[in-house]
Each structure stands twice: as structure tokens, then as C-alpha cells.
Amino acid sequence: MALIPSQVLRVAILLSYFSILCHYKALDMPAHQTYGGSWKFLTFIDLVIQAVFFGLCVLIDVSSLLTKGGDSREQERQLRKLIGLRDWMMAVLAFPVGAFVVFTFWSLYLYDRDLVYPRLLDNFIPQWLNHGMHTTVLPFIIIEMRTTHHRYPSRLWGLAAVWCFGIGYILWTCWVNQVTGVWVYPVLERITPLARVIFFSAMTVVISVFYVLGEILNSYIWDQPHTGTPHTHTHTHTHTHTAVVVFGHFNVAKFYIINTGKHC
């Protein structure tokens, strides 16, 4: 990572998501032909979220290069809007949903794979594609968090957005069952209605926990404790140095200021 600019990493990750989505959509699976198609599955929705998010990151990188050295306030204003949207997506969608998909999939898979990924799917989905959908999502989003500082909204508003997404997907899952008579995931077929309510409630709590963990991790990486209020940051989208180098210079400068009372 130390030798690869963050812009190049984002382009590579975006291309990998395009490849995964194209291969996944090309699969001749019966579930894709039924009501809701691929959009029934949270894994597919998450892949779209990640692709859109990294596409936005690449767009910001390109826009930053095009507007560098310019004095157009309108361009700067539009760029700040894009950065704000990027940070919001990271906070309430990309990190919590991505981490939730990886955690819940592999937890259920290791307990009893037939609850979430029946062996029949091995005939349709190769192992590399399975890991592309359910494993690499988390390291990719952590790489992005490690190389670029993202401004989180207040915790209340952030959690509210995550709850809206979670409840929306639960309602969508229930509607698919109402129309087709079949639950999207086998685990929902094997439990009672009361157990489903408990399961859905527990999953909402889990994704909320991942939102908070993302907020804490972002603050820890960038050494800026979250206060719940917006703060300014200068051109985080133009960083081409690695976070390791930034941290080294930042800590040295901070130590010098504290001990000498002078600015470097």
C-alpha cells in the first residue's frame, strides 16, 4: 500500500466490483428469474452500494485533478457536495452494510451453511466469486477508510439512516415472501414467526453496532475523537500519500508544538 497512490487503489477496487457484478448477473440461477430477481438478496444490494460508493470516490479524485489550481468557487462548492455525499455513504451504507454482510454471512455459513448458502449454489457460483461478494468487501472498505478521512454525521442521524435502510430491507423481504410464498434466505424458512421477529430485531441491532464501530474506527485512525458535530477538513480528497506517512508527520508536528509552543 505504501507504494500505491490511493487514487489507483480506488480505481482498482471499482473495476473489481464491476467484474464481480458482471459475473454475478451472468449466472444462470433460478432465483434470478423469480420475483425481485437479484435485488432480493442483501449481498447484491451491498455490491451495488460498494460500486456506487467507489465510483463516487473515483469521480471526486478526477474532479479534484481537473479543478486543481483553479479559482472557481462554484466548482469548489460542487466538489464539497460530492465529498459530503461520499462521507455520508461511507458512514451509513458502505461500511455498516458491507461489514454486516461479511459478518452475518460467514457466521451463519460456519454454523450451518445451508441456512444461508446451500451447497446447491456451488454448482452456480465459483469460490472466487463467493469471496468477492462476501469477503473482500470488508478489507476494501477499510483500505478506503485508512487512506481518506471521512466526516461522520451526528450519531443520532447516522443511526436513523441505518435503521431506515435496515427496516426497509426487512419490509422488502417480507413483501417478497407475501408475493412468492418463499423466504429469501433458508434460515427464515426454518424458524417460527416469533423467532423471525427476534431475528430481524437482532440483525437491526447488529447493523447499528457496525455503524458505531465504523465511526469509532474512523476517529481512531485519524486521531480525531468524534464530537457529533460537523468539523472542517481540508482537501482530504487530494491525498496521495499513504496514511502511514501522514500519521508520522502529524504526530511529529503535534509533539513539537506541545513541547515547544511553536508552530512548525
Side-chain angles (χ1 to χ4, degrees):
M1 241 177 76
L3 300 178
I4 305 176
S6 58
Q7 293 90 338
V8 176
L9 285 173
R10 293 189 190 100
V11 171
I13 292 172
L14 177 61
L15 291 177
S16 72
Y17 277 122
F18 281 156
S19 176
I20 291 169
L21 283 168
C22 289
H23 280 86
Y24 181 76
K25 292 298 291 184
L27 295 175
D28 186 19
M29 294 176 59
H32 291 179
Q33 312 305 322
T34 58
Y35 182 81
S38 304
W39 294 97
K40 295 189 298 289
F41 304 105
L42 185 59
T43 293
F44 178 78
I45 294 174
D46 177 52
L47 288 175
V48 173
I49 289 173
Q50 302 298 331
V52 172
F53 171 72
F54 279 99
L56 181 60
C57 291
V58 171
L59 176 61
I60 289 172
D61 288 338
V62 173
S63 300
S64 299
L65 290 175
L66 294 177
T67 59
K68 188 176 182 180
D71 56 355
S72 173
R73 292 189 177 182
E74 179 61 24
Q75 289 179 336
E76 285 290 332
R77 188 174 67 85
Q78 295 299 327
L79 188 57
R80 284 196 297 269
K81 285 184 178 180
L82 288 177
I83 293 172
L85 178 59
R86 178 203 65 187
D87 292 348
W88 184 88
M89 282 198 68
M90 164 64 89
V92 306
L93 291 176
F95 186 89
V97 177
F100 176 84
V101 166
V102 173
F103 173 79
T104 54
F105 175 83
W106 288 112
S107 295
L108 292 172
Y109 186 97
L110 293 174
Y111 176 74
D112 182 358
R113 65 169 292 177
D114 290 328
L115 293 176
V116 66
Y117 194 81
R119 287 173 174 79
L120 177 65
L121 293 179
D122 290 339
N123 298 324
F124 300 95
I125 303 176
Q127 281 296 317
W128 73 265
L129 186 56
N130 179 30
H131 285 292
M133 296 187 299
H134 298 117
T135 305
T136 59
V137 173
L138 188 55
F140 282 169
I141 202 66
I142 290 178
I143 287 172
E144 168 61 21
M145 183 177 285
R146 186 72 172 83
T147 56
T148 304
H149 175 242
H150 297 271
R151 184 177 63 185
Y152 268 61
S154 68
R155 182 169 294 179
L156 179 60
W157 284 108
L159 284 174
V162 171
W163 293 334
C164 286
F165 175 86
I167 294 171
Y169 180 72
I170 290 171
L171 294 176
W172 167 235
T173 301
C174 293
W175 175 253
V176 171
N177 173 256
Q178 183 70 22
V179 173
T180 65
V182 178
W183 287 102
V184 174
Y185 299 104
V187 62
L188 298 174
E189 297 278 3
R190 301 187 184 185
I191 56 180
T192 64
L194 177 59
R196 288 191 199 107
V197 173
I198 297 174
F199 179 81
F200 286 139
S201 301
M203 294 300 98
T204 303
V205 171
V206 170
I207 198 171
S208 301
V209 169
F210 279 121
Y211 171 84
V212 176
L213 286 177
E215 179 188 55
I216 293 172
L217 181 60
N218 182 70
S219 297
Y220 174 77
I221 289 174
W222 293 96
D223 197 24
Q224 294 180 354
H226 183 74
T227 60
T229 57
H231 59 278
T232 57
H233 57 288
T234 305
H235 300 295
T236 58
H237 54 280
T238 60
H239 288 171
T240 56
H241 298 292
T242 63
V244 174
V245 175
V246 173
F247 288 151
H249 288 300
F250 177 76
N251 287 331
V252 169
K254 183 169 66 174
F255 177 82
Y256 181 83
I257 293 169
I258 291 174
N259 287 275
T260 66
K262 301 177 180 179
H263 294 284
C264 297

mmCIF file with all atom_site columns, all heavy atoms in Angstrom, residues 168-179:
data_model
loop_
_atom_site.group_PDB
_atom_site.id
_atom_site.type_symbol
_atom_site.label_atom_id
_atom_site.label_alt_id
_atom_site.label_comp_id
_atom_site.label_asym_id
_atom_site.label_entity_id
_atom_site.label_seq_id
_atom_site.pdbx_PDB_ins_code
_atom_site.Cartn_x
_atom_site.Cartn_y
_atom_site.Cartn_z
_atom_site.occupancy
_atom_site.B_iso_or_equiv
_atom_site.pdbx_formal_charge
_atom_site.auth_seq_id
_atom_site.auth_comp_id
_atom_site.auth_asym_id
_atom_site.auth_atom_id
_atom_site.pdbx_PDB_model_num
ATOM 1   N N   . GLY A 1 168 ? -36.239 -0.957  5.902  1.00 0.00 ? 168 GLY A N   1
ATOM 2   C CA  . GLY A 1 168 ? -36.682 -1.011  4.515  1.00 0.00 ? 168 GLY A CA  1
ATOM 3   C C   . GLY A 1 168 ? -36.391 -2.365  3.884  1.00 0.00 ? 168 GLY A C   1
ATOM 4   O O   . GLY A 1 168 ? -37.240 -2.923  3.173  1.00 0.00 ? 168 GLY A O   1
ATOM 5   N N   . TYR A 1 169 ? -35.186 -2.917  4.145  1.00 0.00 ? 169 TYR A N   1
ATOM 6   C CA  . TYR A 1 169 ? -34.863 -4.220  3.578  1.00 0.00 ? 169 TYR A CA  1
ATOM 7   C C   . TYR A 1 169 ? -35.705 -5.328  4.207  1.00 0.00 ? 169 TYR A C   1
ATOM 8   O O   . TYR A 1 169 ? -36.130 -6.270  3.513  1.00 0.00 ? 169 TYR A O   1
ATOM 9   C CB  . TYR A 1 169 ? -33.381 -4.538  3.742  1.00 0.00 ? 169 TYR A CB  1
ATOM 10  C CG  . TYR A 1 169 ? -33.027 -5.884  3.149  1.00 0.00 ? 169 TYR A CG  1
ATOM 11  C CD1 . TYR A 1 169 ? -32.992 -6.048  1.765  1.00 0.00 ? 169 TYR A CD1 1
ATOM 12  C CD2 . TYR A 1 169 ? -32.776 -6.985  3.959  1.00 0.00 ? 169 TYR A CD2 1
ATOM 13  C CE1 . TYR A 1 169 ? -32.708 -7.288  1.204  1.00 0.00 ? 169 TYR A CE1 1
ATOM 14  C CE2 . TYR A 1 169 ? -32.486 -8.227  3.407  1.00 0.00 ? 169 TYR A CE2 1
ATOM 15  C CZ  . TYR A 1 169 ? -32.462 -8.376  2.037  1.00 0.00 ? 169 TYR A CZ  1
ATOM 16  O OH  . TYR A 1 169 ? -32.194 -9.606  1.483  1.00 0.00 ? 169 TYR A OH  1
ATOM 17  N N   . ILE A 1 170 ? -35.976 -5.231  5.502  1.00 0.00 ? 170 ILE A N   1
ATOM 18  C CA  . ILE A 1 170 ? -36.829 -6.225  6.162  1.00 0.00 ? 170 ILE A CA  1
ATOM 19  C C   . ILE A 1 170 ? -38.229 -6.225  5.551  1.00 0.00 ? 170 ILE A C   1
ATOM 20  O O   . ILE A 1 170 ? -38.810 -7.281  5.253  1.00 0.00 ? 170 ILE A O   1
ATOM 21  C CB  . ILE A 1 170 ? -36.897 -5.951  7.679  1.00 0.00 ? 170 ILE A CB  1
ATOM 22  C CG1 . ILE A 1 170 ? -35.546 -6.260  8.332  1.00 0.00 ? 170 ILE A CG1 1
ATOM 23  C CG2 . ILE A 1 170 ? -37.997 -6.784  8.338  1.00 0.00 ? 170 ILE A CG2 1
ATOM 24  C CD1 . ILE A 1 170 ? -35.447 -5.821  9.772  1.00 0.00 ? 170 ILE A CD1 1
ATOM 25  N N   . LEU A 1 171 ? -38.797 -5.026  5.346  1.00 0.00 ? 171 LEU A N   1
ATOM 26  C CA  . LEU A 1 171 ? -40.120 -4.923  4.732  1.00 0.00 ? 171 LEU A CA  1
ATOM 27  C C   . LEU A 1 171 ? -40.111 -5.479  3.311  1.00 0.00 ? 171 LEU A C   1
ATOM 28  O O   . LEU A 1 171 ? -41.070 -6.130  2.873  1.00 0.00 ? 171 LEU A O   1
ATOM 29  C CB  . LEU A 1 171 ? -40.586 -3.468  4.746  1.00 0.00 ? 171 LEU A CB  1
ATOM 30  C CG  . LEU A 1 171 ? -40.859 -2.860  6.127  1.00 0.00 ? 171 LEU A CG  1
ATOM 31  C CD1 . LEU A 1 171 ? -41.227 -1.386  5.996  1.00 0.00 ? 171 LEU A CD1 1
ATOM 32  C CD2 . LEU A 1 171 ? -41.961 -3.631  6.852  1.00 0.00 ? 171 LEU A CD2 1
ATOM 33  N N   . TRP A 1 172 ? -39.043 -5.213  2.573  1.00 0.00 ? 172 TRP A N   1
ATOM 34  C CA  . TRP A 1 172 ? -38.907 -5.732  1.211  1.00 0.00 ? 172 TRP A CA  1
ATOM 35  C C   . TRP A 1 172 ? -38.857 -7.261  1.223  1.00 0.00 ? 172 TRP A C   1
ATOM 36  O O   . TRP A 1 172 ? -39.501 -7.929  0.400  1.00 0.00 ? 172 TRP A O   1
ATOM 37  C CB  . TRP A 1 172 ? -37.653 -5.153  0.576  1.00 0.00 ? 172 TRP A CB  1
ATOM 38  C CG  . TRP A 1 172 ? -37.181 -5.793  -0.690 1.00 0.00 ? 172 TRP A CG  1
ATOM 39  C CD1 . TRP A 1 172 ? -35.944 -6.306  -0.916 1.00 0.00 ? 172 TRP A CD1 1
ATOM 40  C CD2 . TRP A 1 172 ? -37.894 -5.959  -1.924 1.00 0.00 ? 172 TRP A CD2 1
ATOM 41  N NE1 . TRP A 1 172 ? -35.832 -6.791  -2.195 1.00 0.00 ? 172 TRP A NE1 1
ATOM 42  C CE2 . TRP A 1 172 ? -37.025 -6.586  -2.840 1.00 0.00 ? 172 TRP A CE2 1
ATOM 43  C CE3 . TRP A 1 172 ? -39.190 -5.648  -2.334 1.00 0.00 ? 172 TRP A CE3 1
ATOM 44  C CZ2 . TRP A 1 172 ? -37.403 -6.914  -4.141 1.00 0.00 ? 172 TRP A CZ2 1
ATOM 45  C CZ3 . TRP A 1 172 ? -39.568 -5.969  -3.637 1.00 0.00 ? 172 TRP A CZ3 1
ATOM 46  C CH2 . TRP A 1 172 ? -38.684 -6.589  -4.521 1.00 0.00 ? 172 TRP A CH2 1
ATOM 47  N N   . THR A 1 173 ? -38.121 -7.835  2.189  1.00 0.00 ? 173 THR A N   1
ATOM 48  C CA  . THR A 1 173 ? -38.042 -9.287  2.314  1.00 0.00 ? 173 THR A CA  1
ATOM 49  C C   . THR A 1 173 ? -39.412 -9.884  2.625  1.00 0.00 ? 173 THR A C   1
ATOM 50  O O   . THR A 1 173 ? -39.798 -10.918 2.053  1.00 0.00 ? 173 THR A O   1
ATOM 51  C CB  . THR A 1 173 ? -37.039 -9.667  3.423  1.00 0.00 ? 173 THR A CB  1
ATOM 52  O OG1 . THR A 1 173 ? -35.748 -9.138  3.110  1.00 0.00 ? 173 THR A OG1 1
ATOM 53  C CG2 . THR A 1 173 ? -36.938 -11.171 3.573  1.00 0.00 ? 173 THR A CG2 1
ATOM 54  N N   . CYS A 1 174 ? -40.147 -9.241  3.521  1.00 0.00 ? 174 CYS A N   1
ATOM 55  C CA  . CYS A 1 174 ? -41.488 -9.720  3.878  1.00 0.00 ? 174 CYS A CA  1
ATOM 56  C C   . CYS A 1 174 ? -42.438 -9.615  2.681  1.00 0.00 ? 174 CYS A C   1
ATOM 57  O O   . CYS A 1 174 ? -43.296 -10.487 2.478  1.00 0.00 ? 174 CYS A O   1
ATOM 58  C CB  . CYS A 1 174 ? -42.039 -8.926  5.063  1.00 0.00 ? 174 CYS A CB  1
ATOM 59  S SG  . CYS A 1 174 ? -41.153 -9.186  6.609  1.00 0.00 ? 174 CYS A SG  1
ATOM 60  N N   . TRP A 1 175 ? -42.289 -8.556  1.892  1.00 0.00 ? 175 TRP A N   1
ATOM 61  C CA  . TRP A 1 175 ? -43.147 -8.395  0.719  1.00 0.00 ? 175 TRP A CA  1
ATOM 62  C C   . TRP A 1 175 ? -42.865 -9.481  -0.322 1.00 0.00 ? 175 TRP A C   1
ATOM 63  O O   . TRP A 1 175 ? -43.796 -10.028 -0.935 1.00 0.00 ? 175 TRP A O   1
ATOM 64  C CB  . TRP A 1 175 ? -42.943 -7.019  0.105  1.00 0.00 ? 175 TRP A CB  1
ATOM 65  C CG  . TRP A 1 175 ? -43.702 -6.822  -1.182 1.00 0.00 ? 175 TRP A CG  1
ATOM 66  C CD1 . TRP A 1 175 ? -43.191 -6.770  -2.447 1.00 0.00 ? 175 TRP A CD1 1
ATOM 67  C CD2 . TRP A 1 175 ? -45.122 -6.676  -1.319 1.00 0.00 ? 175 TRP A CD2 1
ATOM 68  N NE1 . TRP A 1 175 ? -44.189 -6.602  -3.367 1.00 0.00 ? 175 TRP A NE1 1
ATOM 69  C CE2 . TRP A 1 175 ? -45.393 -6.536  -2.707 1.00 0.00 ? 175 TRP A CE2 1
ATOM 70  C CE3 . TRP A 1 175 ? -46.181 -6.644  -0.409 1.00 0.00 ? 175 TRP A CE3 1
ATOM 71  C CZ2 . TRP A 1 175 ? -46.683 -6.369  -3.198 1.00 0.00 ? 175 TRP A CZ2 1
ATOM 72  C CZ3 . TRP A 1 175 ? -47.467 -6.483  -0.902 1.00 0.00 ? 175 TRP A CZ3 1
ATOM 73  C CH2 . TRP A 1 175 ? -47.721 -6.344  -2.278 1.00 0.00 ? 175 TRP A CH2 1
ATOM 74  N N   . VAL A 1 176 ? -41.593 -9.814  -0.531 1.00 0.00 ? 176 VAL A N   1
ATOM 75  C CA  . VAL A 1 176 ? -41.235 -10.888 -1.463 1.00 0.00 ? 176 VAL A CA  1
ATOM 76  C C   . VAL A 1 176 ? -41.859 -12.198 -1.002 1.00 0.00 ? 176 VAL A C   1
ATOM 77  O O   . VAL A 1 176 ? -42.393 -12.977 -1.815 1.00 0.00 ? 176 VAL A O   1
ATOM 78  C CB  . VAL A 1 176 ? -39.704 -11.023 -1.577 1.00 0.00 ? 176 VAL A CB  1
ATOM 79  C CG1 . VAL A 1 176 ? -39.325 -12.273 -2.373 1.00 0.00 ? 176 VAL A CG1 1
ATOM 80  C CG2 . VAL A 1 176 ? -39.100 -9.786  -2.232 1.00 0.00 ? 176 VAL A CG2 1
ATOM 81  N N   . ASN A 1 177 ? -41.825 -12.450 0.293  1.00 0.00 ? 177 ASN A N   1
ATOM 82  C CA  . ASN A 1 177 ? -42.461 -13.655 0.829  1.00 0.00 ? 177 ASN A CA  1
ATOM 83  C C   . ASN A 1 177 ? -43.972 -13.622 0.631  1.00 0.00 ? 177 ASN A C   1
ATOM 84  O O   . ASN A 1 177 ? -44.594 -14.646 0.324  1.00 0.00 ? 177 ASN A O   1
ATOM 85  C CB  . ASN A 1 177 ? -42.130 -13.803 2.312  1.00 0.00 ? 177 ASN A CB  1
ATOM 86  C CG  . ASN A 1 177 ? -42.906 -14.935 2.966  1.00 0.00 ? 177 ASN A CG  1
ATOM 87  O OD1 . ASN A 1 177 ? -43.872 -14.709 3.692  1.00 0.00 ? 177 ASN A OD1 1
ATOM 88  N ND2 . ASN A 1 177 ? -42.483 -16.153 2.699  1.00 0.00 ? 177 ASN A ND2 1
ATOM 89  N N   . GLN A 1 178 ? -44.577 -12.449 0.795  1.00 0.00 ? 178 GLN A N   1
ATOM 90  C CA  . GLN A 1 178 ? -46.014 -12.314 0.602  1.00 0.00 ? 178 GLN A CA  1
ATOM 91  C C   . GLN A 1 178 ? -46.413 -12.628 -0.844 1.00 0.00 ? 178 GLN A C   1
ATOM 92  O O   . GLN A 1 178 ? -47.451 -13.251 -1.098 1.00 0.00 ? 178 GLN A O   1
ATOM 93  C CB  . GLN A 1 178 ? -46.445 -10.885 0.961  1.00 0.00 ? 178 GLN A CB  1
ATOM 94  C CG  . GLN A 1 178 ? -47.936 -10.624 0.879  1.00 0.00 ? 178 GLN A CG  1
ATOM 95  C CD  . GLN A 1 178 ? -48.717 -11.328 1.966  1.00 0.00 ? 178 GLN A CD  1
ATOM 96  O OE1 . GLN A 1 178 ? -48.160 -11.683 3.007  1.00 0.00 ? 178 GLN A OE1 1
ATOM 97  N NE2 . GLN A 1 178 ? -50.002 -11.557 1.723  1.00 0.00 ? 178 GLN A NE2 1
ATOM 98  N N   . VAL A 1 179 ? -45.578 -12.207 -1.779 1.00 0.00 ? 179 VAL A N   1
ATOM 99  C CA  . VAL A 1 179 ? -45.888 -12.409 -3.202 1.00 0.00 ? 179 VAL A CA  1
ATOM 100 C C   . VAL A 1 179 ? -45.582 -13.830 -3.656 1.00 0.00 ? 179 VAL A C   1
ATOM 101 O O   . VAL A 1 179 ? -46.372 -14.447 -4.393 1.00 0.00 ? 179 VAL A O   1
ATOM 102 C CB  . VAL A 1 179 ? -45.091 -11.399 -4.064 1.00 0.00 ? 179 VAL A CB  1
ATOM 103 C CG1 . VAL A 1 179 ? -45.264 -11.710 -5.554 1.00 0.00 ? 179 VAL A CG1 1
ATOM 104 C CG2 . VAL A 1 179 ? -45.544 -9.979  -3.762 1.00 0.00 ? 179 VAL A CG2 1
#
